[in-house]
Amino acid sequence: MSWMQWYDSLHKPGWTPDPGTISVIWQILYPIILFSFSYVFLKAFRGKIPRSAALPFAINLVANVAFTPVFFGVRSLVFASFDIVVVLVTLLWGMGMIWRYHRWVAIVQIPYLIWVAIATTLQLTILQMNVISP
């Protein structure tokens, strides 16, 4: 079964965005993430901010990249749910860590935070509908 057939076979809430909408959202978010995260990593590398301030951004990036292979490749709703919670928690942690050094970086994460909150709710709902109480 292809990944799309598998995804289509899952029980999902009625408010699930279609794949085209999700694609557009990421096309908007990825440049924001690329620019702001690169700025944080550069500042940490140059010693302008503590490296600990960049840690949540690094973890977030790894978890964000891991979501698609975990969800669509491994097809694990449980691991994908854990992963998306890590994305949400590290995003909040990163926004809090960077606030005292470069507030604009935290502020530009707001669209990403809104989407990750929606995606986390969606993922946990899909987990509940398909694994916990199908």
Side-chain angles (χ1 to χ4, degrees):
M1 171 182 326
S2 75
W3 68 267
M4 192 58 161
Q5 290 170 322
W6 173 77
Y7 180 74
D8 287 343
S9 74
L10 294 173
H11 298 289
K12 294 179 280 304
W15 52 268
T16 302
D18 64 82
T21 301
I22 294 170
S23 177
V24 169
I25 290 168
W26 282 113
Q27 288 174 17
I28 294 166
L29 293 177
Y30 277 138
I32 294 168
I33 294 166
L34 175 66
F35 180 73
S36 60
F37 281 37
S38 296
Y39 182 84
V40 170
F41 295 143
L42 183 62
K43 290 294 184 180
F45 178 75
R46 291 183 174 169
K48 303 289 184 184
I49 62 172
R51 289 187 181 207
S52 61
L55 179 62
F57 291 91
I59 296 169
N60 181 278
L61 193 58
V62 170
N64 185 323
V65 169
F67 182 82
T68 298
V70 169
F71 187 78
F72 292 106
V74 178
R75 298 179 184 176
S76 173
L77 297 178
V78 173
F79 289 138
S81 297
F82 174 78
D83 181 84
I84 197 71
V85 169
V86 170
V87 173
L88 179 61
V89 169
T90 56
L91 180 55
L92 289 166
W93 177 25
M95 291 171 74
M97 288 290 286
I98 203 65
W99 182 259
R100 71 158 76 162
Y101 305 105
H102 299 285
R103 288 183 178 169
W104 72 268
V105 174
I107 292 167
V108 300
Q109 300 311 311
I110 292 172
Y112 182 30
L113 176 62
I114 292 168
W115 174 247
V116 171
I118 292 167
T120 301
T121 303
L122 176 61
Q123 180 59 38
L124 295 176
T125 303
I126 291 172
L127 174 70
Q128 187 272 328
M129 292 175 78
N130 291 276
V131 175
I132 297 171
S133 58

